[in-house]
Amino acid sequence: MSRSGQIKADGSLFIRKAGLGGLKDRLVNGKQFGEPRRNSWKQRMLLEGIGALDIYWYITHNDEFVDCPRAIENKLLSKHLDICGRLPKWNNEI
C-alpha cells in the first residue's frame, strides 16, 4: 500500500500534486526493495511468478472527501493485519 499525503505539523492536510508528484510519481519513482519501484516490482514479480498486479486507487481528497491519505493507509493496513494476522507481503510496517 502507498499514499500521497499526510498531516503537516500545523495540522493542515498536505496532498501531493498530480503530474510529477502525487501517488503516480510515488509508484513509478518511489523506492521499494532498495531501488525504484519501476525496476524492483518487475524483478519481484518475476522472482515470485506474478503475472500482473491489481492496483486499487482510493480518492481521499476532492470536493466530497477530505481524508488524510496516511490515516486511510494505516486503517487499511491495520484491517489487513486483523483479518490475515500479517501485513500484506510487500508491506513491512504500518
Side-chain angles (χ1 to χ4, degrees):
M1 287 187 208
S2 190
R3 45 105 179 111
S4 67
Q6 59 191 344
I7 301 293
K8 296 191 291 187
D10 67 4
S12 64
L13 187 59
F14 167 75
I15 302 292
R16 291 177 189 244
K17 303 297 181 205
L20 288 177
L23 191 54
K24 179 181 176 184
D25 185 54
R26 193 158 172 194
L27 288 173
V28 173
N29 296 317
K31 290 190 175 187
Q32 190 170 12
F33 311 120
E35 58 184 284
R37 284 185 180 97
R38 67 180 172 274
N39 300 325
S40 67
W41 281 11
K42 290 176 194 174
Q43 294 168 355
R44 187 60 61 132
M45 289 173 69
L46 286 171
L47 181 70
E48 296 182 22
I50 298 170
L53 294 176
D54 291 328
I55 296 177
Y56 297 87
W57 197 293
Y58 295 93
I59 302 299
T60 57
H61 187 267
N62 63 12
D63 291 339
E64 185 179 350
F65 301 103
V66 182
D67 296 313
C68 175
R70 177 174 278 177
I72 298 299
E73 177 189 34
N74 289 346
K75 284 181 185 180
L76 289 170
L77 287 170
S78 293
K79 188 73 162 178
H80 187 281
L81 182 60
D82 290 344
I83 292 169
C84 300
R86 62 175 176 76
L87 290 172
K89 190 173 186 174
W90 289 7
N91 289 89
N92 58 11
E93 65 183 8
I94 294 181

